[in-house]
Amino acid sequence: MVQRSLQTPIMHRVVEHNGIVYVGGTTCDDETLDMAGQTREILAKLDRYLAEAGTDKSKLLTASIFVTDLGKKPDMDAVWKDWLAPENLPTRATVGVADLGGDTMIEIVVSAFK
């Protein structure tokens, strides 16, 4: 059975299927923040989305991270490391992209088990 929640005009933010929770691309609302600030805001949103779906960051399986400036990746990595316990690290890909719209510097997609 598929469960969908947090609908936006173009997608559901969270979809669950067979005990796996998929969280669509998440960006920050405050584009004036630097890379670390945008990352912190996104991770706080992911905490909320995962909790609403009945899981949490300790159960992450994968993460795909899109950044507009790979030179700022160390700032994102520092926040990421503080957010996750070393024993709960998911697989991860970080990809440099030309543009995410506006002043958005980072977008994160995750999946987790329940």
Side-chain angles (χ1 to χ4, degrees):
M1 181 172 157
V2 176
Q3 294 181 335
R4 302 171 196 278
S5 60
L6 302 172
Q7 186 171 354
T8 74
I10 60 169
M11 68 178 190
H12 282 87
R13 176 83 45 216
V14 178
V15 175
E16 180 186 343
H17 179 65
N18 287 337
I20 305 294
V21 174
Y22 302 91
V23 182
T26 304
T27 59
C28 76
D29 297 320
D30 185 353
E31 294 179 347
T32 66
L33 297 172
D34 62 7
M35 177 64 83
Q38 287 194 21
T39 303
R40 272 191 287 283
E41 185 181 310
I42 292 166
L43 297 179
K45 284 174 138 181
L46 290 174
D47 279 332
R48 289 191 308 273
Y49 298 158
L50 291 168
E52 288 177 25
T55 189
D56 62 61
K57 64 187 174 187
S58 72
K59 297 177 181 169
L60 286 181
L61 298 169
T62 64
S64 297
I65 302 173
F66 305 92
V67 296
T68 57
D69 184 349
L70 287 171
K72 295 179 182 177
K73 183 179 174 290
D75 299 333
M76 179 271 298
D77 283 336
V79 175
W80 180 264
K81 287 177 189 176
D82 286 343
W83 184 63
L84 286 171
E87 65 274 8
N88 295 326
L89 297 174
T91 65
R92 190 182 103 174
T94 303
V95 180
V97 297
D99 186 25
L100 290 167
D103 290 323
T104 298
M105 291 185 265
I106 180 170
E107 181 171 354
I108 302 177
V109 178
V110 299
S111 63
F113 66 94
K114 284 187 92 170

